[in-house]
Every structure is written in structure tokens, then in C-alpha cells.
Amino acid sequence: MLNALHLCRAVAKGWGLTGKKPTIDDVARLSGVARVTVSRVLNGGPNVRPEVRAKVMEAVKSLDYKVNPQARSLAGGSSRTLAFVFTSDPESDPNSYYEAALELGALRACLALGYQLLIHHVPQHMPGQQRSIVELITDHRCEGLILCPPYSDDAGLIRAALGVGCKVVGISPGPEARQLVDGVGVDDEAGGYDLTTALIRLGHRRFGFMAGLEAHLSAERRLDGFRHALADHGLGESAYLLGRGDFTFRSGVRLAPAMLDHADPPTVLVCANDDMAAGALAAAHARGLDIPRDIAITGFDDAPVAGIVWPPLTTVHQPVKLLGQRAVELLVRRLTGGEPDAPPQFDQLDHALVCRQTTGAF
């Protein structure tokens, strides 16, 4: 129970006397628990000890805290709200097509199924990122959560979301995450393998690979597929140069010159996504190189930019809008189906090689 000292502190801070409405943070401070715990109590959530629940409710009464009317109206039933969390980095530009296409697919599915969708961006290296995402879930009573890489690989975050009663689906989740929750994606390793095999058949024996951030496990699997294809054709590590970017056009522009200026330069630049490939293409144009005669270039995703640049970009197609749509469908199945506790499922969608003019014909 709250003691007199706590109540005196409450009065001293002006709660109820200044005209300022108390907030959920005031309730958390007075009851001595985390904000997430207060949200869980107010929303009737599980996993709260009776003594903690009583302490929170006494703080609510002492402060005359008023629960948001919309949340109160939903307290006895389904909120029909899903959250879609993307990473963001203020130091680099976003992969706008990938995010926009995922969002569009998810929104269309939500519209068809009668759910609303919250879009939220959380910086990957922000302190307290896990707490921020869990608070999003509890504050908005989200029944389901869709995570993009690298959050879809974060087993700790996934367990925290599951711990507050939220169903989770990962976009291109890693092996550990697939053991915990449903996921949807393409076979990134097979995509990298198929593309590299096609390039080897064209006669390429010297490669430059522009990788993305190591934390993005799905993109790392593209590199794995590239390496496996080389090994299966008798080519080892000496057959390629490796550079790391951040999936942006700018990083493709930055990485290309060092590869092109190497004493034993590659005949093809293989890029982990289309934005980096477009940057590499711009760097090659700046040198007056003929593409693909002087240097071939490939991407991954089949974003709209792949068909706009000149020459049009050879790439690997993945159905990004369908990934967003299927993620919502998997969540709704968990929320409304007859087997909510069935083992996690991974839906693997098809990829395809798209041969354009930055390489010879496959």
C-alpha cells in the first residue's frame, strides 16, 4: 500500500492542485513500478502479481488518474490494432522502396481484414529501444506486431513482446527467431546463389561484392549464397573483393571506386540491394565506363529504381508488397484461428532472376 510519504510527495509535486492532469508516468512513479506495468494493469493484461496490481490501482485512485476513453472502451474486447516496426538510422537514408512496399502490402491486408495498422520507426542503436517498442504495444493495446530486420532477428525483443500477450511475425527472420514466432520471406541464400551461378555461366571469374550491414541476417544470407556458388564452381575467396555498405545509394557510390581501382579489378559488382547497385552504376558512369562491357552490375529486390536507371539493372526479384500482406495474414490467423499455440510457421515466397542490361543475357 502507498504510505503517507508517497502521498505527501504527490501533493508537493502539485498533482491535483495545479490543474495539470496526471499522466501514466505519474502513476508509475507513485506506485514504484515501470510504465509498462501500469499499462498492463490498466488494460487488464496478464503476468501482474496481485499486490502490484493493487499498488497501481491505489495510485490511480490517489491521483484521480483518468484512463484514455478510447482505451477504456476497448478494455473488454479486441483492439483490432497491429503495429509494424521498422528500424531507422538518422545517419543514413532509409531504403524507401522496401519499407513503402511492405507498408502498402500490410495496409491493404489490414483494410481487407478489418484491422488498423500503426507504423513506428525506432532507431536501431537507440538506448531503451526494446522498452520503447513494448510500450508502443501496451499503450495502444496492439494485438499483433510485425518486425522488420534487424528487429525480426532480435530474440530478446520477440520474447518481451510475447510476454505482454502480443502475437509477433517477423519479416525475413533469422534461425533463432523462426523457432519463436511465425515469419515470411524469400530464400535469400538461394537468391544469391542463383544470381552468382548465372554470372559464372556468363564467364565472370572476378567479382566485387557490396554487402549490407552485418546485423541484417537476411542480407547476410545473400552473401552466403554468393560464396557457396563460387565454391561449387571451384572459386575461392581470392575470386572476390568484399566491401560493406548500409543499403543506401550513397554507400554504393562510396564502395565502387576502391573496387574498380584494385590492381586486379572485378568484372562484375554484385550488390546486396538495388539502391547500392544504383550507386555503383552512377560511380561507373562518372568514370565513363561502358556497362556491361567494362563492368557488369547486379542488385537485389527488383525495386522500381532497377527499371529506371540506365542501363536497366539486372537483379533478383522478391515480392515485397506480398511479404507485408502475408505478415498481416499470419498475425490475424494467430489471433482468430483455432490453433493459436501451433508451432511457428515460416512462409517462403518465390524469388526470381530478372535479367536486364547491366549484364549480358543469362
Side-chain angles (χ1 to χ4, degrees), residues 16-38:
L17 298 178
T18 63
K20 180 181 176 182
K21 293 182 178 179
T23 67
I24 192 172
D25 292 309
D26 295 330
V27 175
R29 262 193 306 272
L30 185 56
S31 56
V33 301
R35 188 174 190 267
V36 171
T37 303
V38 175

Side-chain angles (χ1 to χ4, degrees), residues 81-220:
T81 300
L82 310 178
F84 205 150
V85 173
F86 296 90
T87 186
S88 62
D89 185 348
E91 299 302 318
S92 65
D93 301 322
N95 185 344
S96 55
Y97 162 72
Y98 181 75
E99 293 185 8
L102 284 173
E103 182 178 328
L104 179 59
L107 284 168
R108 286 175 174 172
C110 283
L111 180 63
L113 295 169
Y115 282 76
Q116 60 179 332
L117 187 68
L118 295 177
I119 307 296
H120 199 59
H121 288 78
V122 179
Q124 182 178 347
H125 303 295
M126 179 185 78
Q129 54 170 287
Q130 184 179 115
R131 183 179 67 252
S132 174
I133 294 171
V134 172
E135 286 179 355
L136 171 75
I137 295 168
T138 56
D139 287 354
H140 295 275
R141 300 188 70 249
C142 298
E143 296 182 80
L145 174 67
I146 305 170
L147 295 172
C148 276
Y151 290 133
S152 57
D153 301 315
D154 188 338
L157 170 60
I158 290 171
R159 290 189 178 96
L162 294 173
V164 294
C166 185
K167 301 297 183 183
V168 181
V169 166
I171 303 289
S172 303
E176 185 179 2
R178 290 188 194 185
Q179 301 300 312
L180 299 173
V181 294
D182 293 336
V184 59
V186 300
D187 189 334
D188 289 279
E189 183 173 342
Y193 186 97
D194 293 346
L195 176 62
T196 307
T197 299
L199 293 171
I200 292 171
R201 288 173 179 164
L202 287 177
H204 292 286
R205 295 296 182 272
R206 182 66 176 159
F207 301 80
F209 193 97
M210 294 188 186
L213 299 170
E214 289 185 87
H216 289 243
L217 299 186
S218 59
E220 284 298 282

